[in-house]
Amino acid sequence: MSNCPVMTTAAGNGIGDNQNSLTAGPRGPVLMADYQLMEKMAHFNRERVPERVVHAKGAGAYGKFTVTGDISKYTCAGLFSAVGNSCETFVRFSTVAGELGSPDTARDPRGFAVKFYTEDGNWDMVGNNTPVFFIRDPLKFSDFIHSQKRDPQTGMRDNTMQWDFWSLSPESMHQITTLFSDRGIPATLRNMNGYGSHTYSLWNDKGERYWVKWHFKTLQGIQTLTQAEANKIAGEDLDYHRRDLFSSIEKGDFPKWRVMLQIMPEQEAERYAIHPFDVTKVWPHKDYPLVEVGVLELNRNPQNYFAEVEQAAFEPGNLPRGMGASPDKMLQARILSYPDAHRYRIGVNYAALEVNKPHCPVHHYHRDGQTRFDGNFGSGVNYQPNSFDGPVDAAKYQEPPLKISGDADRYNHRDGNDDYTQAGNLYRLMNAEQKRQLTDNLVGAMKDVPKFIQLRQLQHFYQADPAYGQGVASGLGIDMKEVI
Ligand code: NDP
């Protein structure tokens, strides 16, 4: 007799035949009474949840974060109280614009989202493999993404939409230069850096706040694909990066990143020449050197892609005691939009799913809602304040007050903002081969775009660095005199 368990319906009733439908005679028709057939088809129809509007295609793995550098004077977070502390993590890498079945080797930023299951609750670092972003005001986010997705008439990706938006949004110059550089297509997910991108904060028991930027430096070394290599791979293996990550971990080759921090005392933000909460800018290392904090290692593959990777829900607002957000407008909007997307996509109780739930006790008064699959806090009191020993708030979790000022208004974020120096700095640090790749990649993406858009964009390249503008203009067969 076989050792396989007996197959059942979802209610546990044994199934006698999973090969033949229940029919009136051998030629049919099928009978409505075939409960098992109906259950099978109905469940199959509901197998998909809506894919993420952005970052749909991803790969994930579990790992461990170990603290190697002492930052306890900056934060009272339990995780950072001593060198040697550690916690489990779950990481999801992704492309941004492509759908679930899109090729891994597209030129696109890569999502680099890390969930740290700390003893004080989850800390989610929902970053990218680039230190900056295309826009700085969240009011432009849906416009930006529409321009990178599909044309409303043809249903196709369209370079004209992309460059139309970018050329009208000079704040995108820094990120465009990163995206079209050699680092715009990583060789593997293991061979790229991660960045928190936004400015976040740390705070300590003395009530002092520090602004910080998180960096994850690959210990496998940066390796990239040329556009030609990436195109070829895309035609052969859509899941190239996902496959590489899974098989590396499966064979015990565990990727690692050195986790580093730039730290700015709270008051310095008012004096620093670079707007410290502008996600289109970096803090140059000479101003704020990198401080080592820890090592992240990925060492375990998920057992079930849907349960663990597709249902993984990251939120930039998941910040344990001693850690906080910043006034960065994009970050503030993401603190709303991420949990909002999860509620829509996987349901209001998403945080209680195995991959999302903290590795520490959870006590709150949220109740009921769709797919309440745990005990719903049983008979416990469901309002607060109460006289029956329900959970209570505790002042020690409150962040130090943040001084803010100014009139409520819609301020032009482009007024007096330098969108070119840092993009130019990036161009200038590239060697000749990297500059050649950057120029070729841009020319390839812009060659079919209407000339008035090319000219508008060339002005931005020229302002970042005249040689940068000249190089792309030559590739497009445009005389720089027309641009200047
Ligand atoms: P530094 O010389 O101290 O640092 C240069 C940084 O650029 C390093 O982090 C390096 O990463 C990274 N880098 C090198 N080549 C590329 C590339 N082709 N694409 C993306 N990043 C690359 O200079 P600054 O701190 O003054 O920054 C100069 C410019 O470097 C910035 O304008 C920005 O564009 C870029 N940069 C800066 C970062 C920062 O946080 N300051 C972070 C990443 C990029 P690595 O060490 O991994 O090789």
Side-chain angles (χ1 to χ4, degrees):
M1 206 172 136
S2 148
N3 286 327
C4 299
V6 168
M7 191 179 162
T8 69
T9 63
N13 305 137
I15 287 175
D17 183 348
N18 190 41
Q19 319 307 322
N20 303 293
S21 301
L22 182 66
T23 53
R27 293 187 175 192
V30 164
L31 298 185
M32 282 282 289
D34 192 347
Y35 176 83
Q36 183 200 346
L37 172 65
M38 303 304 159
E39 179 179 276
K40 233 175 143 172
M41 288 199 307
H43 195 278
F44 180 69
N45 284 346
R46 292 161 178 79
E47 274 186 2
R48 299 286 172 272
V49 294
E51 69 172 42
R52 293 164 170 88
V53 178
V54 284
H55 296 274
K57 176 85 185 285
Y62 295 92
K64 184 178 175 187
F65 171 71
T66 309
V67 177
T68 57
D70 183 7
I71 56 163
S72 58
K73 68 178 173 190
Y74 304 109
T75 176
C76 51
L79 176 62
F80 295 111
S81 62
V83 169
N85 284 358
S86 66
C87 71
E88 280 192 72
T89 59
F90 181 75
V91 175
R92 183 175 181 273
F93 302 114
S94 51
T95 49
V96 181
E99 294 82 4
L100 271 174
S102 59
D104 281 349
T105 54
R107 182 171 299 284
D108 209 359
R110 299 300 187 278
F112 194 114
V114 190
K115 191 179 285 292
F116 299 78
Y117 303 96
T118 88
E119 63 195 31
D120 301 321
N122 288 349
W123 165 36
D124 291 359
M125 212 289 306
V126 201
N128 278 332
N129 71 335
T130 61
V132 291
F133 198 62
F134 297 95
I135 53 169
R136 63 168 77 91
D137 192 312
L139 200 54
K140 299 320 298 169
F141 187 75
S142 58
D143 294 307
F144 163 60
I145 293 298
H146 285 172
S147 76
Q148 307 298 305
K149 288 271 195 174
R150 292 177 183 276
D151 177 274
Q153 179 183 14
T154 65
M156 295 192 276
R157 299 283 295 276
D158 184 55
N159 285 334
T160 296
M161 291 165 66
Q162 299 186 3
W163 288 104
D164 189 26
F165 182 87
W166 279 335
S167 63
L168 291 166
S169 311
E171 65 272 22
S172 61
M173 262 305 294
H174 197 182
Q175 177 78 322
I176 287 175
T177 307
T178 310
L179 177 63
F180 286 89
S181 79
D182 54 335
R183 295 200 188 182
I185 313 178
T188 77
L189 300 168
R190 300 174 295 119
N191 293 108
M192 63 183 196
N193 291 339
Y195 302 91
S197 304
H198 302 288
T199 297
Y200 287 88
S201 58
L202 297 178
W203 52 276
N204 61 24
D205 276 329
K206 287 192 245 167
E208 297 162 333
R209 176 185 281 106
Y210 298 85
W211 304 118
V212 294
K213 282 194 181 281
W214 292 96
H215 300 249
F216 294 65
K217 294 270 194 180
T218 174
L219 292 177
Q220 290 66 242
I222 296 277
Q223 285 181 33
T224 60
L225 295 174
T226 64
Q227 189 68 58
E229 289 166 337
N231 292 350
K232 182 166 180 294
I233 293 168
E236 293 164 353
D237 184 359
L238 291 173
D239 305 319
Y240 183 75
H241 284 163
R242 196 186 270 183
R243 195 180 314 284
D244 170 82
L245 182 69
F246 191 90
S247 58
S248 297
I249 293 173
E250 214 55 15
K251 64 178 188 246
D253 180 5
F254 300 145
K256 295 190 184 68
W257 285 261
R258 192 175 307 292
V259 182
M260 308 187 88
L261 204 51
Q262 288 178 289
I263 305 170
M264 179 191 293
E266 181 174 353
Q267 285 71 25
E268 273 180 40
E270 285 153 36
R271 299 189 293 273
Y272 191 41
I274 296 166
H275 181 355
F277 309 124
D278 176 353
V279 73
T280 69
K281 305 278 193 308
V282 295
W283 300 351
H285 294 132
K286 69 170 172 22
D287 296 345
Y288 293 97
L290 293 173
V291 174
E292 177 171 340
V293 177
V295 172
L296 171 69
E297 176 189 86
L298 298 184
N299 54 26
R300 181 162 64 89
N301 279 317
Q303 286 300 307
N304 185 280
Y305 185 85
F306 180 84
E308 294 157 87
V309 187
E310 191 61 12
Q311 294 198 121
F314 298 87
E315 338 184 8
N318 281 350
L319 294 160
R321 179 171 187 265
M323 312 181 81
S326 81
D328 179 336
K329 298 170 195 174
M330 289 287 291
L331 173 58
Q332 305 236 320
R334 290 178 76 206
I335 289 172
L336 163 75
S337 68
Y338 278 67
D340 188 47
H342 305 323
R343 289 181 196 111
Y344 158 68
R345 220 172 65 79
I346 43 184
V348 67
N349 289 307
Y350 67 93
L353 287 165
E354 199 62 31
V355 66
N356 299 326
K357 78 178 187 202
H359 294 188
C360 68
V362 173
H363 302 288
H364 54 67
Y365 294 93
H366 309 319
R367 294 292 186 275
D368 311 347
Q370 272 189 344
T371 320
R372 186 80 227 193
F373 50 82
D374 59 6
N376 199 23
F377 293 92
S379 60
V381 57
N382 64 356
Y383 57 89
Q384 208 258 351
N386 62 69
S387 316
F388 304 103
D389 298 332
V392 291
D393 35 327
K396 71 170 189 171
Y397 291 96
Q398 213 158 307
E399 275 193 40
L402 176 66
K403 199 174 179 55
I404 50 174
S405 62
D407 299 336
D409 204 349
R410 295 183 182 273
Y411 294 91
N412 183 345
H413 63 81
R414 293 197 183 115
D415 268 358
N417 216 320
D418 172 6
D419 292 319
Y420 301 110
T421 301
Q422 292 203 346
N425 289 346
L426 179 56
Y427 175 79
R428 288 182 283 276
L429 68 75
M430 292 180 192
N431 63 31
E433 168 56 20
Q434 289 173 314
K435 284 181 179 156
R436 189 191 64 73
Q437 279 196 41
L438 172 69
T439 306
D440 287 356
N441 294 334
L442 286 166
V443 170
M446 289 178 70
K447 62 182 187 311
D448 299 326
V449 166
K451 189 162 176 190
F452 76 94
I453 295 178
Q454 292 176 335
L455 289 173
R456 194 162 60 203
Q457 184 62 38
L458 283 168
Q459 291 183 22
H460 299 314
F461 295 139
Y462 182 80
Q463 287 191 71
D465 192 294
Y468 187 2
Q470 180 64 64
V472 183
S474 305
L476 292 172
I478 291 177
D479 188 337
M480 263 325 262
K481 285 200 209 90
E482 279 191 75
V483 178
I484 304 164

